[in-house]
Amino acid sequence: MPFLANLFSPRSLANLEKHGPDIATPDSESSKSPVLPQAIAKEEQEQLICATLSRFAQVPVSAIFVLEPGWNPTGLTDDQASEILKTHGPNTPVAERRLAALRMFWGAIVNPFNILLTILAIVNAATDQLSTFVVMMAMVVASTGLRYWQELKSTIQAVNLIKSVTTNTRVLRYRSSGPEEVEIDQRSVVPGDIIAVTSGDVFPGDCVLITAEAITITQASLTGEVVPIEKTVRLAAPRPGETFNLLHNDNVCLAGTSVVTGNGHALVVSTGKDTYMASIASELSKRRPENATQIGIRKVSYVLMAFMAVMAPIVLIIQGAVSKNWKGAVMFAIAVAVGITPEMLPMIVTSNLALSAVRVARKKVIVKRFDAIQNLGAVQILCSDKTGTLTADLVRISMSTTGTGEPSQLPIKLAYINSSLQTGSRSPIDHAIVDFVDQSEQDIFTDIPGDGWTKQGEVPFDSSRRLLSVLVSRPGGDGSEGLLITKGAVEEVLDLCVSTYNHQPPSSNASGPFALSSSMTSILTAHERQKILDTAQRLNEDGLRLVAVACREQLIKPFMTISPSDENELTFVGFIGLLDPLKPDATQAIKDLAALNVQVRILTGDAPAVAAKVARDLGLIPSREQSSTTVNEKDVEASPSSNGDEGLILTGVQLAALADDQDAYKDAIDRCIIFAKLSPYQKLEVVKALRAGHGGRAVAFLGDGVNDALAIRGADVGISVDSGTEIAKEAADVILLEKNLAVVADGVMEGRITLMNTLKYIKMATSSNFGNIFSLLVASAWLPYQPMLPIQILVQNLLYDFSQASIPWDNVDPEYLVAPKTWGAKSIIRFMVCIGPFSSPFDIITFSINWFHYGIRTLHNPRVDLAQTNWFLEGSLTQLLIIHFLRTGKLPFIQSHASISVFCTTFGIAGIAIAIPYIPKINTALQLTPPDPLFYAYLLGMISGYALVVHIAKTLYQLAFKEWL
């Protein structure tokens, strides 16, 4: 590479050595490794990455290699590269972790309810209640196995999605014959390597450009900006006071970004774990905070354990004092503790989640973590990145206008000729222009021929001019009548213009070929120039990216060539407006989420105006026609109290300025809909603040870029897409195999169904168990015998639990799905205390029937087993049939219908409960006996009375607390 050798010749370096001490002295900085240390605080790591890159990025390109004498502009030798590779390790930006099956299994076991059931099972085993131990451990094993199997399957799918594809990189290696360009696996790229890049190449590490020819790169995954960013080399030392911006720097190209157009060479400064992308990935390895579901389950578990710790000793003391049989009292107290615990809860929760995971899988959604389904149902706020999630991540033509903003097809026509005939690398803007015209349903070339133009010369785009010009000859002529068409950045094009084109008004009947005669042009005065700039500013505030178009007539001579000096005395024609269009389903998905009372916030690294345009189109903020005030982007950037868009937009600069005023910070977070120009860490802070607001809220984050990974990890539910970056998919709980936002709304609905059915079970189980324990306390103080044996209590609980195994398939009343809901310990306790005791009067009626009608009043009465059978039947049937009254706030069987599975299960189990006292051997083992036929008349009356009382209590409860489930 002779040009590299000349550029960085010893003489050049010697002449520029004065730049070295300005940045770093050889004694201090030159000897430092450009790679970051291993163990450093996270807040310091980003600063050190900036310091490392700025050390090389903020010196003139010819002085870079003064800082690292071991590095060479003609490339490292093979031996040097090998030694550096041993020191710094392979270039793997995301740590490749093996599938942590044991860790996942441990996570499935360590569940508050599993722990509680295991403790109770051990106590039962220690007291020779082996049957109880077996049943309870079976619940733990079944729950753990189902959760582990489903999560393992989903994780394997996710791992397959994020497997890296081997990519080769072209590097310079200095060998005996001189520098050679060779292809190597990007894992073998090391700091100090010189890489060659061209259109389509991905930067394998954090790099600094040392040569560049019209290079533009896309860094949407880091900043959210879909339009390519121009990059160039630094030729001068930094100006006094100039600051280094990691994400917005002219000559720094970060790992994972890619070249769109142009070519050049770059010095690799950091690789692997020391890149900016890897610093984000390292944050993901930290223990993530508890989500809404985990917090709710933990609180409910504590309540149940506390209740069990209070009730069991009370029952032990009363039962022992009355019966004088303290061993039997201990066994009875243990049975009470078992009765309080909803032992099927882990199984019910897991079944609910597994069923929902299967349902959403049919919609091409991978659920990596089970809890994510319930968390989706609790979500109150969905934070979404803009690029690629709400928008299509494509550049598309939005409008073609005159310099004053009036619609005109002429700018797009001329731009099409320019873009279609230029021979350099087509940028996304060129593709957008050509695609727009080719896909247009109508022929826009009425006054200008669309075909027949012949290119006679070209001035390629470069980042200093920010222009591209094409000289073409008119169709049908002798080839001497030419037209120079120039497009590029607005101010750069205007600087070359001396006149403006007089567009025909839309209503004009004038027609004819395009011409630049004096009657069709006007002198570009300072006033006209300002009007054009004002129009450009207004369109920019509307979120549009602008390309200016100009032209002039030129005589074509044989063998002539053109150069940048020919780009003068142009006539300004107009603008082309470009934007990243909304995804087709985005607007409807936002409406669906709003109908579910889920707020949507946009968190993006893109400009405020661009984000505001998207938000207006989605209906998240008022349109300019609806808003009484408007404010330009500079005003929005300048003041956090700006009233632009009614104060609904907040930028990263403003957010940082509010850090010292917590009240203002919280108010701004709650008020704003759009958070723009955010760094990845600011996105995480916004998510944390939203979660903490209003006493705690469930927040989901939807994104696909590296800049979204921290926020995805920090949310209650992290959502990514299969086309997202590896880091984003690694951090996510849910992966969408298609970028279909409607699936998110479907997931919220599934989550609410899952959560409501789970809450149904726990409220029904705890209230029923509480009523039973209350009845047991009365029985312990009154009856000289045990109202039911421990084994009978266990069987009754199991029948009730199995009847509720169909709850995951139950219908949910629509009114319970219109708003977010989460686990609430207070709500569960209130339901348990208010509704549970209503079963006790009917239990006491059963005790009275046994005492007065059947005369069972002593411990040694031979009919004690009949008394126990009567309560076994009454308790079982009331528990089973009352499910239909507790599962809904409406009138069951008439206003609300249970699912077929719930209906069949409850009545089927009720039949089994009635049959058990009649089945030989089983009734003997359980010490049950066939009841007196007359008792069924009593039983029918008690069940009817209980149903009536519960319905009245339910009505009063809903009037008092404005809720049911």
Side-chain angles (χ1 to χ4, degrees):
M1 300 294 170
F3 62 93
L4 282 176
N6 292 334
L7 178 60
F8 299 101
S9 64
R11 182 175 179 180
S12 298
L13 294 177
N15 291 337
L16 286 163
E17 277 184 357
K18 64 182 190 315
H19 296 290
D22 291 340
I23 306 301
T25 60
D27 292 336
S28 60
E29 298 290 339
S30 296
S31 59
K32 291 183 180 179
S33 168
V35 181
L36 297 172
Q38 287 272 354
I40 54 179
K42 186 72 204 81
E43 57 273 12
E44 297 175 357
Q45 190 170 0
E46 186 176 13
Q47 296 176 4
L48 287 174
I49 290 173
C50 288
T52 299
L53 283 170
S54 66
R55 179 168 170 249
F56 295 90
Q58 290 196 292
V59 296
V61 63
S62 299
I64 286 179
F65 292 94
V66 174
L67 303 176
E68 285 292 333
W71 294 355
N72 195 298
T74 56
L76 300 172
T77 65
D78 290 322
D79 290 340
Q80 282 179 307
S82 178
E83 287 300 316
I84 296 174
L85 185 62
K86 290 178 183 177
T87 302
H88 298 298
N91 180 31
T92 50
V94 181
E96 294 182 355
R97 298 185 301 176
R98 291 176 295 183
L99 188 60
L102 289 177
R103 182 176 59 192
M104 194 179 306
F105 184 64
W106 176 251
I109 292 176
V110 181
N111 175 288
F113 289 110
N114 281 350
I115 294 172
L116 179 58
L117 285 177
T118 302
I119 292 172
L120 289 174
I122 292 172
V123 171
N124 277 278
T127 54
D128 296 328
Q129 297 293 312
L130 294 180
S131 59
T132 307
F133 169 81
V134 171
V135 170
M136 299 188 84
M137 289 309 298
M139 295 296 103
V140 173
V141 171
S143 170
T144 300
L146 182 58
R147 176 182 288 262
Y148 175 67
W149 175 79
Q150 183 66 31
E151 290 193 353
L152 181 66
K153 184 177 68 173
S154 296
T155 303
I156 290 173
Q157 289 179 284
V159 167
N160 290 335
L161 280 177
I162 63 175
K163 279 184 178 178
S164 298
V165 177
T166 302
T167 304
N168 290 332
T169 301
R170 290 176 296 135
V171 302
L172 297 186
R173 283 284 183 263
Y174 190 83
R175 292 170 177 165
S176 57
S177 58
E180 294 182 15
E181 188 176 287
V182 297
E183 277 198 4
I184 63 172
D185 188 333
Q186 72 170 10
R187 298 166 188 253
S188 301
V189 174
V190 296
D193 263 330
I194 306 297
I195 61 170
V197 292
T198 190
S199 178
D201 288 342
V202 176
F203 287 94
D206 292 344
C207 304
V208 174
L209 287 175
I210 58 176
T211 70
E213 295 181 17
I215 278 189
T216 62
I217 72 165
T218 176
Q219 53 184 31
S221 64
L222 289 174
T223 65
E225 296 174 295
V226 68
V227 175
I229 308 299
E230 297 171 13
K231 294 288 182 178
T232 186
V233 298
R234 176 179 282 276
L235 300 176
R239 298 183 300 275
E242 181 179 338
T243 58
F244 177 77
N245 189 314
L246 182 64
L247 295 176
H248 302 279
N249 195 285
D250 288 341
N251 62 337
V252 171
C253 302
L254 297 173
T257 61
S258 60
V259 180
V260 178
T261 62
N263 57 78
H265 291 80
L267 168 68
V268 179
V269 177
S270 303
T271 59
K273 63 184 181 302
D274 303 312
T275 62
Y276 179 67
M277 182 184 292
S279 74
I280 295 175
S282 67
E283 181 76 6
L284 303 180
S285 63
K286 294 183 178 179
R287 183 182 181 86
R288 64 188 300 169
E290 282 187 311
N291 57 49
T293 296
Q294 291 169 334
I295 293 172
I297 289 177
R298 175 169 51 81
K299 289 180 178 179
V300 172
S301 302
Y302 290 161
V303 168
L304 291 176
M305 285 189 282
F307 191 63
M308 181 178 65
V310 171
M311 294 297 292
I314 293 175
V315 172
L316 171 65
I317 293 170
I318 294 176
Q319 180 69 22
V322 172
S323 68
K324 308 302 181 182
N325 180 3
W326 288 99
K327 181 178 179 182
V330 170
M331 302 303 297
F332 191 64
I334 293 174
V336 167
V338 174
I340 292 174
T341 307
E343 60 271 9
M344 280 285 287
L345 183 60
M347 189 66 184
I348 293 291
V349 172
T350 304
S351 298
N352 258 314
L353 296 177
L355 181 62
S356 295
V358 170
R359 285 172 180 162
V360 297
R362 294 172 187 156
K363 299 177 180 179
K364 298 187 177 180
V365 177
I366 293 176
V367 179
K368 288 175 57 183
R369 205 171 61 159
F370 258 18
D371 290 343
I373 295 290
Q374 281 195 40
N375 285 331
L376 271 174
V379 163
Q380 294 173 266
I381 298 175
L382 171 65
C383 297
S384 176
D385 181 40
K386 177 186 67 68
T387 307
T389 49
L390 297 174
T391 63
D393 196 10
L394 296 169
V395 179
R396 289 289 182 262
I397 302 299
S398 174
M399 62 171 57
S400 176
T401 73
T402 68
T404 56
E406 298 297 327
S408 171
Q409 296 283 15
L410 185 57
I412 188 65
K413 297 172 186 178
L414 296 177
Y416 174 78
I417 297 170
N418 176 293
S419 295
S420 61
L421 294 180
Q422 65 102 359
T423 55
S425 297
R426 279 190 183 177
S427 70
I429 292 176
D430 289 316
H431 283 291
I433 292 170
V434 173
D435 291 345
F436 176 82
V437 174
D438 290 344
Q439 296 169 11
S440 178
E441 295 181 357
Q442 60 181 2
D443 184 10
I444 67 173
F445 287 95
T446 54
D447 51 349
I448 295 182
D451 300 317
W453 297 87
T454 304
K455 188 178 77 169
Q456 303 293 341
E458 179 179 354
V459 185
F461 177 88
D462 67 61
S463 55
S464 59
R465 289 168 40 254
R466 303 176 70 194
L467 304 169
L468 190 152
S469 297
V470 174
L471 176 62
V472 295
S473 58
R474 292 177 178 273
D478 59 4
S480 62
E481 295 181 4
L483 186 67
L484 181 70
I485 304 173
T486 300
K487 73 175 192 298
V490 174
E491 292 191 5
E492 279 74 358
V493 170
L494 266 180
D495 288 342
L496 302 175
C497 293
V498 295
S499 61
T500 60
Y501 184 74
N502 297 329
H503 294 264
Q504 296 292 333
S507 59
S508 173
N509 294 323
S511 62
F514 169 72
L516 293 177
S517 62
S518 58
S519 63
M520 297 300 295
T521 61
S522 300
I523 296 175
L524 179 62
T525 63
H527 177 68
E528 288 295 325
R529 174 185 172 87
Q530 189 57 48
K531 284 176 62 178
I532 292 172
L533 290 175
D534 290 343
T535 300
Q537 183 177 4
R538 175 171 56 82
L539 294 175
N540 281 330
E541 289 170 7
D542 284 337
L544 294 173
R545 316 274 186 175
L546 297 181
V547 174
V549 180
C551 63
R552 73 174 173 87
E553 293 180 336
Q554 180 166 324
L555 184 65
I556 298 176
K557 299 177 181 179
F559 308 110
M560 73 177 295
T561 59
I562 60 173
S563 67
S565 62
D566 292 296
E567 297 171 329
N568 58 65
E569 298 184 356
L570 302 176
T571 297
F572 185 84
V573 176
F575 301 114
I576 299 168
L578 303 105
L579 53 71
D580 182 7
L582 292 178
K583 299 180 71 172
D585 64 332
T587 302
Q588 185 58 48
I590 296 299
K591 291 180 180 177
D592 292 342
L593 289 167
L596 294 171
N597 288 292
V598 176
Q599 302 174 35
V600 177
R601 310 286 176 91
I602 297 177
L603 277 62
T604 180
D606 211 341
V610 177
K613 167 69 173 173
V614 171
R616 286 190 209 99
D617 291 345
L618 289 172
L620 295 177
I621 63 175
S623 65
R624 290 197 180 277
E625 289 74 16
Q626 296 172 314
S627 178
S628 59
T629 58
T630 57
V631 64
N632 64 38
E633 183 177 330
K634 292 182 180 178
D635 293 334
V636 174
E637 289 276 7
S639 171
S641 61
S642 169
N643 289 324
D645 290 300
E646 300 181 359
L648 301 176
I649 302 176
L650 192 69
T651 66
V653 173
Q654 296 169 1
L655 196 65
L658 292 172
D660 295 330
D661 188 344
Q662 287 301 305
D663 290 337
Y665 183 89
K666 292 176 182 177
D667 178 68
I669 294 292
D670 281 337
R671 183 186 70 251
C672 292
I673 301 297
I674 301 168
F675 298 86
K677 286 288 184 183
L678 298 183
S679 72
Y681 296 97
Q682 286 179 318
K683 286 188 177 185
L684 174 60
E685 291 306 313
V686 170
V687 168
K688 286 182 177 178
L690 288 172
R691 289 187 65 189
H694 296 277
R697 295 176 291 196
V699 176
F701 189 94
L702 171 62
D704 61 354
V706 174
N707 58 334
D708 301 320
L710 295 181
I712 289 172
R713 180 78 169 183
D716 290 285
V717 187
I719 309 170
S720 189
V721 294
D722 72 323
S723 58
T725 59
E726 294 175 8
I727 291 178
K729 289 184 290 190
E730 175 75 14
D733 303 308
V734 176
I735 297 177
L736 310 181
L737 297 182
E738 291 182 355
K739 286 188 176 183
N740 183 357
L741 286 177
V743 175
V744 178
D746 291 339
V748 170
M749 184 65 76
E750 284 292 341
R752 290 183 186 175
I753 292 173
T754 299
L755 185 58
M756 291 310 303
N757 280 335
T758 303
L759 289 176
K760 279 181 193 177
Y761 168 77
I762 193 168
K763 285 190 172 183
M764 287 190 290
T766 53
S767 63
S768 176
N769 291 350
F770 178 73
N772 287 343
I773 300 309
F774 194 78
S775 300
L776 284 170
L777 284 174
V778 173
S780 298
W782 176 17
L783 303 177
Y785 54 85
Q786 292 183 359
M788 266 201 296
L789 298 176
I791 187 63
Q792 294 168 350
I793 293 176
L794 177 63
V795 171
Q796 186 185 70
N797 279 342
L798 287 178
L799 289 174
Y800 184 60
D801 289 338
F802 283 129
S803 73
Q804 296 190 82
S806 59
I807 288 292
W809 287 267
D810 192 20
N811 302 324
V812 177
D813 294 338
E815 58 267 27
Y816 296 128
L817 303 177
V818 296
K821 193 171 181 65
T822 186
W823 288 71
K826 290 182 180 179
S827 176
I828 292 171
I829 295 170
R830 184 169 59 225
F831 190 96
M832 177 178 70
V833 172
C834 292
I835 303 300
F838 283 106
S839 65
S840 295
F842 298 93
D843 292 333
I844 294 172
I845 291 173
T846 304
F847 300 154
S848 299
I849 292 172
N850 291 331
W851 185 277
F852 294 106
H853 181 77
Y854 295 107
I856 307 171
R857 302 179 182 181
T858 65
L859 175 64
H860 302 292
N861 190 305
R863 304 186 73 186
V864 166
D865 56 348
L866 178 64
Q868 293 170 339
T869 301
N870 289 343
W871 193 38
F872 174 84
L873 288 174
E874 183 267 334
S876 298
L877 295 181
T878 52
Q879 277 186 325
L880 289 167
L881 298 181
I882 212 66
I883 286 175
H884 293 273
F885 287 82
L886 297 182
R887 59 164 292 279
T888 176
K890 299 178 180 179
L891 188 64
F893 307 113
I894 298 174
Q895 295 176 322
S896 177
H897 303 277
S899 66
I900 297 296
S901 57
V902 170
F903 187 87
C904 294
T905 303
T906 52
F907 283 94
I909 296 293
I912 293 173
I914 294 173
I916 285 177
Y918 297 95
I919 301 174
K921 295 186 179 180
I922 294 179
N923 58 8
T924 304
L926 297 178
Q927 298 183 41
L928 296 174
T929 186
D932 178 14
L934 179 61
F935 179 74
Y936 287 109
Y938 290 126
L939 191 57
L940 180 61
M942 285 187 287
I943 292 174
S944 301
Y946 184 32
L948 178 62
V949 168
V950 166
H951 187 69
I952 294 172
K954 178 168 64 176
T955 303
L956 296 175
Y957 183 93
Q958 292 180 92
L959 288 174
F961 301 111
K962 310 301 180 186
E963 71 165 17
W964 180 241
L965 295 177

